[in-house]
DNA sequence: AGCTGATGTAACATATAAAGTAACATCAAA
DNA sequence: TTTGATGTTACTTTATATGTTACATCAGCT
């Protein structure tokens, strides 16, 4: 498949909502910033809403973060939009009659879990507020 | 796309070669253990050979690890078989005329690099020898 | 030398998931 | 009531992984 940009686009949406909180927050406007389409934006916003990160109102372009950007981690967003949150994938079709095929799946799962654990810990350490600060800092550096 | 099993299958191949080093190591036999096909096994072995982890000889089913399994990390294997080694992907098509779109790519790259760094460190900490030990331990537990 | 069976590699087909597109029901606000 | 928004679904397109086939090349044996 193509590589997923869902995490990146979801963070983009949340950052946009936070930065332009009193501006035009229609899915079409946000889609223009993402260079994507309104339906994708609405789909991602739906996932963010179900995860409790965003409130929306049907018929009204008024999305809002449910809490401060300092209290939203990249892990929160990742879990909201990536249903298979696994970074690495075990081949679950190996020969059970072979010593290697019969035992490698559980062994690898254990190994991959360690990778997943540290990656998620790192995602948890980074907040939406930091991303927003990074965006604004870069912007100001360019326009001064 | 489908999720990649290349890392898992490559580790499988290396473990198989190490465990059955004096047995039948034809791509067809290994493919039977992976429940895949010989061409895939040969493709992955080609990548492992180019990465310096394995030696092979055309015409002869005699693959060998180039060094002890304790000196081959999962990161070595990962880099050998995953050409795009990035676990997370920035959306590289965002609107440069928007403050968010123009600056989020670099900001996210920085954030994702941190995740990549800790994940790779964890992959580096785990060796092929540990995977082999895990496979054999599980096997012995079942057959005692 | 020739036969057999192996690898190396490429071309093509298929499967799967992401993202794009379009349509429409529903709701908000004027 | 009209306009324009969201929520959601179905379908299409695209990208990547894997499967399949074919065949050139090589090793090892007789």
């Amino acid at each position: 498949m193509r590589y997923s940009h869902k995490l990146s686009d979801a963070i983009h949406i949340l950052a946009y909502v936070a930065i332009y909180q009193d501006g035009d927050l229609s899915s079409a406007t946000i889609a223009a910033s993402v260079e994507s389409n309104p339906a994708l934006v609405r789909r991602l916003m739906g996932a963010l809403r179900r995860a409790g990160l965003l409130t929306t109102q049907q018929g009204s372009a008024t999305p809002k973060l449910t809490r401060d950007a300092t209290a939203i981690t990249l892990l929160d967003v990742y879990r909201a939009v990536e249903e298979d949150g696994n970074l690495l994938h075990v081949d679950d079709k190996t020969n059970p009659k072979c010593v290697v095929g019969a035992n490698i799946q559980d062994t690898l799962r254990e190994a991959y879990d360690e990778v997943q654990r540290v990656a998620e810990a790192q995602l948890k350490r980074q907040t939406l507020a930091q991303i927003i600060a990074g965006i604004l800092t870069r912007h100001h550096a360019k326009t001064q």
Side-chain angles (χ1 to χ4, degrees), chain A residues 27-133:
Chain A
S27 60
T29 300
I30 298 176
S33 174
V34 180
E35 280 198 358
S36 176
N37 58 80
L40 172 70
V41 171
R42 293 202 292 270
R43 267 190 300 223
L44 286 174
M45 288 179 108
L48 294 169
R49 173 169 40 75
R50 283 186 288 277
L53 302 179
L54 195 72
T55 57
T56 62
Q57 188 172 21
Q58 184 168 3
S60 163
T62 54
K64 292 189 202 322
L65 303 189
T66 56
R67 53 184 190 263
D68 196 88
T70 55
I72 295 178
T73 71
L74 299 201
L75 181 59
D76 294 328
V77 185
Y78 183 71
R79 288 191 170 145
V81 298
E82 299 280 3
E83 57 248 42
D84 173 0
N86 294 321
L87 295 166
L88 299 171
H89 295 89
V90 170
D91 185 347
D92 59 357
K93 188 175 72 69
T94 58
N95 191 338
K97 294 180 186 163
C98 166
V99 171
V100 178
N103 297 289
I104 196 169
Q105 293 185 23
D106 288 344
T107 304
L108 284 181
R109 243 185 290 277
E110 206 172 83
Y112 292 174
D113 279 350
E114 291 299 296
V115 176
Q116 187 78 23
R117 192 176 51 74
V118 300
E120 291 196 355
Q122 186 61 41
L123 280 172
K124 192 173 185 176
R125 225 168 275 137
Q126 307 194 49
T127 67
L128 178 61
Q130 291 173 313
I131 300 296
I132 292 169

